[in-house]
Amino acid sequence: MFAIVDIETTGGTPQQARILEICVVITDGKSVQKVYETLLNPGVSVPSGITSLTGITNEMIRHAPSFAS
């Protein structure tokens, strides 16, 4: 078994970017065993370019938990 992890962020610079979404897929290499996915409220506005790229809007994350939660 192994995990595939994907994140979406507010931008490309580690010093300023915040995480918007986390997805973890657990697989045995043949089939998906478990999936965890959540949106996160980064505490900053989602840039329009990121919304265009990911489809994640400010409205979608407004009531999402913070990363610390």
Side-chain angles (χ1 to χ4, degrees), residues 15-31:
Q15 298 84 358
Q16 296 176 340
R18 302 286 190 269
I19 297 175
L20 293 172
E21 182 179 33
I22 297 173
C23 180
V24 180
V25 176
I26 306 295
T27 180
D28 61 6
K30 295 181 182 179
S31 62

Side-chain angles (χ1 to χ4, degrees), residues 33-47:
Q33 303 297 308
K34 192 170 184 179
V35 175
Y36 172 79
E37 181 179 9
T38 188
L39 290 171
L40 297 170
N41 186 328
V44 298
S45 183
V46 180

